[in-house]
């Protein structure tokens, strides 16, 4: 099941103690959704895991300014764990990759990322990649971390991360061309 | 955040994605409402004065002990949270006893425990210690089938392929081979360590022989991953359990190369041993026989195509027969006598679209678990008990679709259920639905009848939860390590604080050996001792 690409404000509530939850819920859910191929069930699971882990820590920061980065850190770790689990399951089930050097050389053009359709295309391509490739691209590019920070988050050496990123970019191009016949 | 490091030529193209995928999106109202309820109930528990303190496992003192009220969400009207502190042998342990008493109303239809009980079960009965396994987070305790009940040596292998994403800081070029190590779990000492081929996969201990698969021709990329799956042709290898020395290495499994090229990987089934002969199946539907003593290939037989091409069937044995659970439905029994193999009978336990996902053998029963509709909407699961040796259906029962649907949709590989206290009982792991009305649990089934004995509430279970049984119960990892002690139809649940936030120290796997539990985390390997109830 895929989510409709709606963007909106937070829902109403009656419990003032949950102000921070209501403020952060659309942001955390909106963070997960494109990173799991717009699959509602996975995004909901990860969102719930994030909030429950947060409250179970017993140390919710006092202000929303502090809550947001804290909650996104938890969310990011949950997402990486999710990719890791997928990586394990697929470990021996990987299909042979078709090598196409021509596609590997084609740069990604400037895309209209304000377009929901384009964002869904990108998310769909990411979703088709190996989880380890997806993890690298998401952390490095969607989340905007440096290569060193990406290596730290993935628990890898920087050189291994650079190598992984290079393969992930190749895989992205190939998958995009497979699905869409080229960059729009 | 932006990068200041030199950019590879194609790196800049991708930087345009930064920030474009962070727009807030409203979730469905019912999900938001459920989440609010769960957060509210969890907050109440977390804010109580007795909420758990986290104490490093290696530095526990009596003064650090806390009584932890276990969080409870849903499960009908179940639930009494009781806290129990166990202090033994100088080791201080946070231990929650969560006895549940059900008044008969529950969502999964199980019979319930007849009375509250409390067992002095302490998975950390002696001071726990970490095994120094190269201080590498990539080291995992691998499940090895066929371990004798009193076998107190754990086989641990260091798997490069896992290590990359799981935090191995050592680059593959500097660490070209994996290692296999054996530990005496009673003394927490390493007995031996041997280099292995990459991707050594221990599969079975038969007597004093450790059998495993290696992939010597596998081409591995700079990340330690198999670059070309078609190169990963499996080879059997036998090692001496006392020393780790190689006893023999077989020739390549005669895998159908064209099938391999078509499907891109070489799936190999579990290994079984019948009368000093080793059997395994490959994903092209071939059954291979090897001499257990020498590793010589005795025979290779192409059976009728069974199941999904490329994927090997599930294979089990009771010591005299081989059972083949097919990924296309059904179970076949092959009788082996005087080096002659006879196909005795075949049972289609559900229908032709079923997938056998697990089989377990006791002296009296073969338990077969099948899933239907793995990728579709019409999903269901069924457990079948076949009596042995006559191979007739003793009972069948459909698993609860409202709970099974979730894990079938999510993963077939992570699902876990197994023989408990064979041959009398069967444990089935039921992941939670996160619906607020139905929570996860562990079901105990009478193998002779298929009836439910008890339902053990185990919130926070999901279909990825690592789980392992031990002599007196079952342990799993949710937010913390939880162990369920079972005596008759009574049980208790205890939580163990490993001393760190799960976000900081994820638990990758737990395995049990000889009444001990091995816990693989990204901070190292823990070994615990269990006390009987």
């Amino acid at each position: 099941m895929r989510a409709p690409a709606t963007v909106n404000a937070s829902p109403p509530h009656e419990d003032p103690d949950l102000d921070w939850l209501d403020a952060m819920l659309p942001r955390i859910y909106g963070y997960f959704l494109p990173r799991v191929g717009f699959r509602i069930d996975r995004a909901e699971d990860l969102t719930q895991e994030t909030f429950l882990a947060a409250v179970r820590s017993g140390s919710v920061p006092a202000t929303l300014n502090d809550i947001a980065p804290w909650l996104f850190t938890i969310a990011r770790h949950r997402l990486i764990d999710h990719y890791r689990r997928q990586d394990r399951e697929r470990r021996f089930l990987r299909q042979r990759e078709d090598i196409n050097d021509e596609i590997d050389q084609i740069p990604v053009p400037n895309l209209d990322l304000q377009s929901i359709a384009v964002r869904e295309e990108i998310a769909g391509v990411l979703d088709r990649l190996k989880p380890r490739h997806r993890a690298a691209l998401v952390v490095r590019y969607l989340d905007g971390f440096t290569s060193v920070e990406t290596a730290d988050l993935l628990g890898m050496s920087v050189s291994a991360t650079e190598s992984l990123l290079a393969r992930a970019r190749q895989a992205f191009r190939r998958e995009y061309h497979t699905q869409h016949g080229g960059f729009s | 955040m932006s990068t200041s490091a030199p950019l590879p030529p194609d790196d800049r193209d991708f930087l345009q994605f930064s920030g474009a995928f962070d727009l807030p999106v409203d979730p469905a109202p019912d999900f938001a409402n459920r989440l609010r309820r769960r957060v509210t109930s969890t907050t109440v528990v977390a804010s109580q004065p007795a909420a758990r303190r986290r104490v490093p496992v290696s530095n526990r003192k009596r003064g650090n002990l806390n009584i932890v009220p276990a969080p409870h969400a849903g499960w009908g009207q179940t639930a009494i949270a009781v806290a129990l502190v166990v202090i033994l042998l100088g080791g201080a342990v946070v231990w929650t006893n969560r006895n549940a008493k059900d008044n008969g109303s529950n969502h999964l239809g199980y019979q319930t425990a007849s009375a509250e009980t409390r067992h002095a079960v302490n998975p950390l009965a002696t001071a726990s210690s970490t095994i120094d396994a190269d201080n590498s987070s990539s080291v995992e305790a691998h499940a090895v089938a066929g371990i004798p009940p009193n076998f107190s040596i754990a086989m641990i292998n260091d798997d490069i392929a896992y290590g990359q994403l799981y935090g191995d800081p050592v680059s593959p070029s500097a660490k070209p081979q994996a290692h296999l190590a054996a530990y005496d779990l009673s003394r927490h000492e390493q007995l031996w360590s041997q280099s292995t081929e990459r991707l050594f996969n221990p599969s079975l201990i038969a007597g004093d022989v450790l059998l495993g698969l290696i992939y010597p021709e596998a081409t591995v990329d700079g990340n330690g991953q198999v670059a070309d799956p078609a190169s990963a042709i499996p080879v059997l290898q036998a090692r001496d359990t006392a020393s780790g020395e190689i006893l023999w290495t077989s020739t390549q499994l005669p895998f159908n190369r064209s099938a391999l090229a078509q499907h891109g990987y070489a799936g190999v089934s579990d290994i079984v041993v019948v009368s000093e002969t080793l059997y395994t199946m490959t994903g092209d539907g071939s059954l291979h026989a090897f001499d257990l003593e020498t590793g010589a290939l005795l025979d290779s037989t192409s059976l009728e195509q069974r199941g999904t091409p490329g994927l090997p069937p599930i294979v089990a044995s009771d010591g005299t027969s081989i059972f083949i659970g097919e990924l296309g439905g059904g179970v076949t029994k092959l009788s082996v006598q005087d080096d002659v193999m006879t196909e005795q009978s075949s049972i289609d336990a559900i229908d032709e679209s079923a997938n056998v996902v697990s089989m377990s053998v006791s002296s009296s029963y073969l338990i077969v678990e099948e899933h239907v509709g793995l990728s579709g909407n019409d999903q269901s699961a069924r457990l079948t008990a076949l009596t042995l040796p006559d191979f007739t259906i003793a009972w069948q029962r459909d698993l609860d679709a409202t709970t099974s649907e979730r894990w079938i949709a999510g993963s077939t590989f992570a699902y876990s259920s197994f023989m408990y206290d064979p041959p009398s009982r069967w444990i089935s792991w039921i992941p939670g639905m996160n619906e607020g009305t139905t929570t996860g649990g562990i079901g105990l089934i009478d193998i002779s009848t298929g009836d439910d004995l008890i339902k053990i509430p185990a919130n926070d279970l999901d279909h990825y939860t690592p789980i392992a049984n031990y002599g007196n119960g079952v342990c799993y990892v949710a937010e913390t390590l939880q162990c369920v002690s079972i005596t008759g139809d009574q049980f208790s649940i205890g939580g163990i604080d490993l001393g760190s936030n799960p976000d900081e120290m994820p638990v990758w796997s737990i395995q049990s050996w000889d009444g001990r539990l091995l816990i693989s985390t990204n901070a190292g390997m823990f070994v615990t001792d269990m006390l009987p109830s």
Side-chain angles (χ1 to χ4, degrees), chain B residues 40-64:
Chain B
T40 302
S41 63
T42 304
T43 304
V44 169
V45 173
S47 62
Q48 289 176 358
R52 83 184 43 138
R53 287 161 52 188
R54 300 190 178 279
V55 183
V57 73
S58 58
N59 189 30
R60 290 190 173 126
K61 298 176 181 177
R62 287 169 184 260
N64 294 123

Side-chain angles (χ1 to χ4, degrees), chain B residues 18-47:
Chain B
S18 294
F21 293 85
D22 297 331
L23 295 176
V25 178
D26 266 352
D30 62 332
F31 166 71
N33 290 331
R34 285 200 309 272
L35 180 61
R36 285 190 197 97
R37 284 197 299 271
R38 289 211 63 179
V39 166
T40 302
S41 63
T42 304
T43 304
V44 169
V45 173
S47 62

